[in-house]
C-alpha cells in the first residue's frame, strides 16, 4: 500500500504502524510518531492499522548544542 512518511511517498506491505516503521528503517530508534495528524505513542503503534494514503509523521530527536 502507498503511505506518505514526512511527505514522501512509500510503498509498504506492513499493515500496522509498528511493522511499517521497521520496514522503513526506524526499528529500535527513539522517535515520535503521528498518523493523519494524531499522535501515536510507542506502546500503541502495534495496534494502529495503516490504510492506503495515510499520512505518517516521524520525528527524531536532534543532537547537538
Amino acid at each position: 500500500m502507498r503511505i506518505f512518511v514526512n511527505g514522501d511517498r512509500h510503498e509498504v506491505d506492513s499493515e500496522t504502524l509498528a511493522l511499517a516503521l521497521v520496514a522503513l528503517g526506524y526499528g529500535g530508534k527513539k522517535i515520535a510518531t503521528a498518523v493523519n495528524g494524531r499522535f501515536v505513542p510507542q506502546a500503541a503503534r502495534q495496534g494502529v492499522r495503516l490504510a492506503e494514503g495515510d499520512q505518517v509523521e516521524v520525528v527524531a530527536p536532534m543532537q547537538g548544542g
Side-chain angles (χ1 to χ4, degrees), residues 15-19 40-50:
E15 293 184 3
T16 67
L17 176 59
L19 292 175
V40 179
Q42 180 179 4
R45 292 176 190 159
Q46 189 65 35
V48 175
R49 299 185 70 81
L50 295 175

Side-chain angles (χ1 to χ4, degrees), residues 7 9 30-31 34:
R9 187 173 68 182
K30 292 186 178 188
I31 56 173

Side-chain angles (χ1 to χ4, degrees), residues 1-56:
M1 91 181 79
R2 179 179 33 189
I3 62 172
F4 295 88
V5 180
N6 295 345
D8 295 326
R9 187 173 68 182
H10 292 270
E11 295 289 333
V12 295
D13 293 329
S14 312
E15 293 184 3
T16 67
L17 176 59
L19 292 175
L21 290 171
V22 171
L24 293 168
Y26 293 104
K29 294 184 178 178
K30 292 186 178 188
I31 56 173
T33 57
V35 175
N36 299 325
R38 301 181 116 188
F39 172 70
V40 179
Q42 180 179 4
R45 292 176 190 159
Q46 189 65 35
V48 175
R49 299 185 70 81
L50 295 175
E52 180 76 21
D54 274 350
Q55 303 282 331
V56 177

